[in-house]
């Protein structure tokens, strides 16, 4: 059977052939776990992530309107925020879990394209942010490093790269039976094995390697005398470093499961309900990381944190002013009424 003929594949939960009591109980238990993870994500992570994303966008736009300029790192964080917010909106496709949304192959491919575009943009933005912090500590001396100081050029390259990779992934999803309805995930099960390999390589492997190299260079290379101390540099840009570590851990888990699913495809196996359970958990962990990253930016990135504290102080002053303006009501005594 050709590796590109994916008509045989299906979800284990949709192809349960065994009538063994133990396997049926295990299947029900896995479905319950998926459902609980989904409800927890939708109830807590999604609202928090969307509120944080909107607040970050408002803060950056207001700062730009006031200063008529935006720092390079802030431009990348703005792009990262938009990418992650888009991923959160697309994550509403998990709302049916443990079931899957039913759409045509074509609609599923479109959702997959949008998801991959946001995913690649987010991942490559992280690489550029770490490179920016590296260049802040080690001043640029080459033409290439000076180009990286232009936010529009950097973001344009990220968008172009993300678009090309997403288009490649859309082709690897397959073009057969585009009008037929199917169970859809944002990384479609019926995609060719090359789909997961490309996604792992360009969406995690290479970016993670570059991130690790940036971390090693930042920690190991001796900085110029005029550069700030390493501890001060890390504290100043703590949000970016924590986001990079969090994203690496969560996306490592997800990409391991992506590669595991590829091995099942190459073995012509649909796997077990337990495999499906872990894949669903990895997907929800990936989306939860997008929400957590936005909250970390809002709480740890200095311009966002300062703006939030400013709003809190303004609210306290307004409340204090209103309290002082309140006129106390003097109760009327019976003697006064008799007069």
């Amino acid at each position: 059977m050709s590796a590109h003929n994916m008509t045989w594949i299906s979800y284990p939960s949709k192809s349960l052939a065994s009538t063994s009591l133990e396997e049926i109980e295990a299947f029900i238990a896995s479905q319950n776990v998926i459902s609980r993870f989904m409800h927890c994500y939708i109830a807590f992570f999604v609202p928090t992530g969307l509120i944080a994303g909107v607040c970050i966008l408002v803060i950056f736009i207001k700062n730009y309107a006031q200063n008529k300029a935006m720092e390079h790192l802030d431009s990348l964080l703005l792009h990262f925020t938009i990418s992650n917010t888009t991923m959160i909106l697309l994550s509403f496709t998990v709302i049916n879990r443990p079931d899957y949304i039913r759409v045509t192959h074509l609609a599923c491919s479109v959702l997959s394209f949008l998801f991959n575009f946001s995913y690649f943009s987010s991942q490559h933005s992280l690489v550029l942010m770490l490179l920016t912090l590296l260049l802040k500590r080690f001043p640029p001396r080459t033409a290439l490093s000076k180009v990286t100081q232009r936010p529009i050029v950097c973001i344009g390259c990220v968008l172009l790269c993300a678009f090309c990779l997403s288009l490649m992934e859309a082709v690897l999803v397959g073009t057969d039976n585009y009008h037929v309805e199917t169970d859809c995930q944002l990384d479609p099960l019926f995609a060719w094995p090359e789909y997961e390999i490309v996604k792992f390589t360009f969406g995690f492997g290479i970016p993670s390697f570059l991130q690790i190299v940036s971390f090693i260079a930042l920690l190991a290379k001796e900085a110029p005398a005029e550069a700030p101390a390493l501890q001060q540099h890390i504290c100043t840009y703590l949000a970016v470093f924590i986001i990079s570590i969090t994203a690496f851990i969560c996306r490592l888990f997800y990409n391991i499961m992506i590669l595991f699913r590829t091995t099942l495809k190459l073995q012509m196996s649909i796997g077990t309900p337990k495999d499906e359970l872990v894949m669903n958990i990895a997907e929800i962990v990936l989306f939860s990381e997008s929400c957590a990253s936005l909250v970390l930016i809002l709480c740890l990135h200095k311009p966002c944190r300062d703006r939030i504290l400013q709003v809190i102080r303004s609210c306290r002053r307004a409340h204090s002013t209103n309290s002082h303006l309140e006129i106390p009501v003097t109760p009327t005594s019976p003697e006064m009424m008799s007069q």
Side-chain angles (χ1 to χ4, degrees):
M1 185 182 291
S2 171
H4 290 170
N5 179 11
M6 306 303 296
T7 55
W8 58 271
I9 201 165
S10 64
Y11 290 99
S13 60
K14 304 286 185 178
S15 308
L16 196 63
S18 174
T19 56
S20 166
L21 182 60
E22 290 182 358
E23 292 191 10
I24 292 174
E25 287 178 349
F27 167 74
I28 294 172
S30 67
Q31 297 284 286
N32 287 336
V33 172
I34 294 171
S35 179
R36 287 172 185 173
F37 265 88
M38 183 274 296
H39 284 107
C40 179
Y41 168 71
I42 294 293
F44 298 107
F45 285 89
V46 169
T48 307
L50 289 178
I51 291 170
V54 171
C55 290
I56 294 167
L57 292 176
V58 170
I59 289 169
F60 280 145
I61 291 170
K62 280 192 172 183
N63 288 347
Y64 179 78
Q66 289 177 358
N67 304 323
K68 302 300 180 184
M70 186 177 291
E71 286 192 12
H72 186 194
L73 182 61
D74 288 350
S75 301
L76 293 174
L77 281 171
L78 177 62
H79 176 68
F80 180 80
T81 299
I82 294 172
S83 299
N84 277 29
T85 304
T86 306
M87 286 177 64
I88 295 170
L89 293 174
L90 289 170
S91 73
F92 277 102
T93 54
V94 306
I95 204 166
N96 286 351
R97 301 294 162 84
D99 203 358
Y100 301 89
I101 59 170
R102 293 284 298 178
V103 295
T104 62
H105 278 69
L106 179 61
C108 193
S109 297
V110 171
L111 288 172
S112 176
F113 173 84
L114 295 173
F115 170 63
N116 283 321
F117 185 74
S118 303
Y119 177 85
F120 286 126
S121 296
S122 172
Q123 188 72 20
H124 296 164
S125 295
L126 274 176
V127 175
L128 276 180
M129 280 190 271
L130 285 175
L131 179 61
T132 300
L133 298 187
L134 192 64
L135 294 177
K136 278 181 179 290
R137 186 162 172 77
F138 305 101
R141 292 185 178 86
T142 63
L144 178 61
S145 57
K146 289 179 181 178
V147 169
T148 60
Q149 299 300 309
R150 298 167 137 189
I152 295 178
V153 174
C154 293
I155 293 172
C157 291
V158 167
L159 291 174
L160 180 62
C161 184
F163 178 81
C164 293
L165 289 170
S166 303
L167 201 59
M168 184 191 304
E169 292 286 69
V171 172
L172 294 175
V173 167
T175 55
D176 297 335
N177 305 318
Y178 64 90
H179 60 285
V180 177
E181 280 199 348
T182 184
D183 296 312
C184 181
Q185 276 181 293
L186 293 176
D187 281 320
L189 180 68
F190 55 83
W192 297 347
E194 292 88 345
Y195 174 95
E196 284 95 355
I197 295 171
V198 169
K199 183 154 190 172
F200 175 84
T201 304
F202 295 100
F204 181 77
I206 295 175
S208 296
F209 173 76
L210 294 174
Q211 285 177 292
I212 291 170
V213 169
S214 298
F215 268 113
I216 292 173
L218 191 66
L219 296 173
K221 189 175 179 182
E222 186 178 354
E226 66 275 9
L230 178 60
Q231 186 176 1
Q232 181 186 348
H233 185 73
I234 292 174
C235 290
T236 304
Y237 304 105
L238 187 62
V240 177
F241 292 112
I242 292 180
I243 288 168
S244 299
I245 295 169
T246 305
F248 175 79
I249 294 170
C250 295
R251 297 184 185 195
L252 174 64
F253 177 37
Y254 182 73
N255 280 273
I256 287 173
M257 293 310 302
I258 283 285
L259 288 182
F260 177 71
R261 193 167 76 173
T262 304
T263 60
L264 291 177
K265 289 180 181 179
L266 294 174
Q267 295 168 2
M268 299 296 177
S269 170
I270 64 172
T272 64
K274 184 179 178 181
D275 298 331
E276 185 180 357
L277 165 65
V278 179
M279 183 67 214
N280 276 279
I281 291 173
E283 188 179 24
I284 293 174
V285 167
L286 175 71
F287 293 136
S288 300
E289 176 269 319
S290 297
C291 301
S293 294
L294 297 182
V295 174
L296 288 171
I297 292 172
L298 187 63
C299 296
L300 298 179
H301 187 51
K302 191 175 186 303
C304 297
R305 186 177 66 243
D306 291 347
R307 182 70 71 166
I308 292 294
L309 293 175
Q310 181 184 346
V311 170
I312 293 172
R313 282 193 291 266
S314 299
C315 292
R316 283 180 177 176
R317 280 197 298 267
H319 177 72
S320 177
T321 304
N322 291 335
S323 299
H324 287 305
L325 290 176
E326 286 180 0
I327 301 174
V329 179
T330 305
T332 306
S333 63
E335 291 81 2
M336 294 178 63
M337 293 188 64
S338 63
Q339 291 175 3

